[in-house]
Amino acid sequence: MSLVNRSLVTIDDLSNGEIEALFSLADEMSESINDQSHLCQGKIMASLFFEPSTRTRLSFEAAMHRLGGSVISVVDIRATSLAKGESIADMARVVGSYADVIVIRHSWEGAAKVVADYAGIPVINAGDGSHEHPSQTLGDLYTLKKERQTIRGLKIALCGDLKHGRTIHSLAYALARFGVSRIYFRPGPGLEIPPHVLRKLTQDYGGAFYKGPATDLSSLAQVLGAQSADAIYITPTDSHQLALMPDVHLKLDTGEGAIYVTRFQKERAGDSAISEKDYPKISPSVLKGKDFKRTLVMHPLPRIDELAYEMDADPRSMYFKQAARGVPIRMALIALLLGAREIDVPEEEELFSKIDYPVYRRGFGVKCHNPGGNCVSLHETKYIKPEFKIVSFDPLTLRCVYCEHEVQPEYIASSEWHQGMLESKKYHSSGSHWLKKIKPENLIMFDTEAEAQAQGFKPSSYAGKRNDD
Ligand code: NCD
């Protein structure tokens, strides 16, 4: 199996088997890290970091140097033609003609997908806004695998900024796919896991979401705060029955699993301040209970105040190992995407079958509703047509293919109007029975009546009604 010429934009771009095979190659690379300089000789990696980075940029660049390749880089968007108004697509085409692989970090969600769509060479997403950070996840999973041999069945607590943390989003998807038994969510105040991430976890990966008792007094709840029990994701490997029993009292332990801590992403939170007091913080004193004796402490770094320096000497602390393992992981990834190495992909049991959602794409009508307006499709409008997956017909819900945030369009119409008479060019409420009558491939969707009218549609008697059937 070859990964040559593929891109890594989201963690779902690699199958479980491919990730396992990549780990085997990373093992091999780390055993002879000084011996790999023949693999990518003559190849060039473009390293485009338009947001601050230490670990990700330097570990990618170190990885390419260790493979014998060269690196061209930009670390300041103001030093590029993007600052003159050049589009990401044009930049991608040009850089794609200079280099063999691109690593990109950008503050817009979906920016890495656009680069991958236009560059013509493999592209690795090194973080796109709050969306995803798949190569960090490879390092996180690799650490879990090295320390615990298997990821399946582990219990993992994700703490901190679950709303804006791109490492959290990619990791949560991967943990679900690899069959951890539970994910506990312990957000900082107002920083809960976003609905579109939860839908993917439950609908796409088949797990269940459990709302537990807020007064749970088990040790994890004490450590992570009194509200820690209000959000638990149970994967199909654990008993679904738990999710169906409203009063069940789950023991919130992490056992041999991990507590994954993240900082508040204040650069993405606009003006909203958070209460320091309620932000989960990990220190040796909160982890002294016997339930945490074997629990790993992980962090993508950088840390601010959420992880005490006193943890550093603790054998449970994994964060510097995670960072160090980023180099062999990225060496393996680059070597595979450049075709410098091939791998045998083991037959891995996937715990769910991929859902092929219908795709909706039109040059007018409904647009992405990214809450911070931070989706690439809302910025690069000259050439990007809004594109969505229809993830639900009840209620009608779309997932943006760039940032994956959801939108529920208010109005619908059919593109088949022209076969009838002009007076049948009508729009309806998306909650009306018309949603079932119009074939998915003929659907046209609008956010507002004004948009529908601007396209020449007139309100039907079902334009203002919901649930009329
Ligand atoms: C993370 C990131 O950039 O998303 N850092 C990293 O790549 N290791 C986490 C963070 O910045 O908090």
Side-chain angles (χ1 to χ4, degrees), residues 55-56 105 133 136 166-167 263 265 300-302:
R55 268 152 298 276
T56 309
R105 171 171 286 191
H133 190 350
Q136 175 69 43
R166 54 195 174 199
T167 64
R263 73 178 171 96
Q265 310 270 304
L301 301 176

Side-chain angles (χ1 to χ4, degrees), residues 101-122:
V101 57
I102 295 177
V103 180
I104 169 114
R105 171 171 286 191
H106 197 287
S107 61
W108 290 342
E109 299 176 30
K113 171 171 162 51
V114 176
V115 176
D117 288 346
Y118 286 88
I121 59 172

